[in-house]
Amino acid sequence: MEDNQITDNDKEDDKQDRIELVQRAVEGDKEAFTNLYTLTYSEVYHIVKVFIHNEDTSHGYPSSQDIVQETYYKSLRKIKQLKEPDKFPVWIKKIAVNTAKAHLRKVDWVLFSEADGEGGKSIAELQDERLEHIPEIVVDQAETKKMI
């Protein structure tokens, strides 16, 4: 067998380590929770990115990082409710999915087919007001650069 292959014993050791970390986190060990965070962060982040594509919070919507942070905050508060410590990775991912979905339900979605209709938002309210997306500003900045 090659050195880089994972054996069943390695998997069982990892599972036992994870169970021990969860039990220590339940008892209030912050280092244990930090280790659980390190072990699961990448998967949690990628799950949240499936739902929340936003990394920019300037429009008032939460970013994927905000959702990840809220996920770990919820899990820290509720870790004592986890009945099966070996299921922590599945549990934290479920919290991430539910948190992301909850935020998506809060977003005030506007369909373009409803824009400028009765009770709908006007197209003017939907316009992107970032300076780098206003053609007049972009042209003006380009001309200024040429002059300098």
Side-chain angles (χ1 to χ4, degrees), residues 30-48:
K30 291 178 182 173
E31 184 179 338
F33 190 80
T34 300
N35 289 338
L36 288 169
Y37 169 87
T38 303
L39 289 170
T40 57
Y41 172 81
S42 180
E43 290 178 84
V44 168
Y45 176 77
H46 289 293
I47 286 171
V48 169

Side-chain angles (χ1 to χ4, degrees), residues 69-86:
Q69 181 178 4
E70 187 174 336
T71 296
Y72 281 100
Y73 175 72
K74 286 178 178 180
S75 70
L76 181 60
R77 283 186 18 240
K78 298 183 183 262
I79 196 162
K80 291 180 181 179
Q81 297 175 5
L82 180 60
K83 304 281 189 246
E84 299 176 55
D86 61 313

Side-chain angles (χ1 to χ4, degrees), residues 20-126:
E20 182 184 330
L21 286 172
V22 171
Q23 290 168 341
R24 288 178 31 213
V26 166
E27 294 167 2
D29 185 339
K30 291 178 182 173
E31 184 179 338
F33 190 80
T34 300
N35 289 338
L36 288 169
Y37 169 87
T38 303
L39 289 170
T40 57
Y41 172 81
S42 180
E43 290 178 84
V44 168
Y45 176 77
H46 289 293
I47 286 171
V48 169
K49 283 293 284 180
V50 169
F51 294 95
I52 310 291
H53 305 287
N54 186 24
E55 287 299 333
D56 177 21
T57 59
S58 65
H59 297 290
Y61 301 116
S63 71
S64 52
Q65 286 292 347
D66 294 333
I67 304 299
V68 170
Q69 181 178 4
E70 187 174 336
T71 296
Y72 281 100
Y73 175 72
K74 286 178 178 180
S75 70
L76 181 60
R77 283 186 18 240
K78 298 183 183 262
I79 196 162
K80 291 180 181 179
Q81 297 175 5
L82 180 60
K83 304 281 189 246
E84 299 176 55
D86 61 313
K87 303 286 189 210
F88 180 83
V90 174
W91 181 72
I92 190 82
K93 290 178 214 171
K94 186 66 174 173
I95 293 172
V97 167
N98 290 340
T99 303
K101 285 181 176 180
H103 279 281
L104 288 175
R105 283 191 292 271
K106 292 178 189 176
V107 173
D108 185 22
W109 297 103
V110 177
L111 299 175
F112 281 102
S113 61
E114 296 173 356
D116 282 336
E118 277 187 43
K121 292 188 176 189
S122 71
I123 295 293
E125 292 178 59
L126 301 175

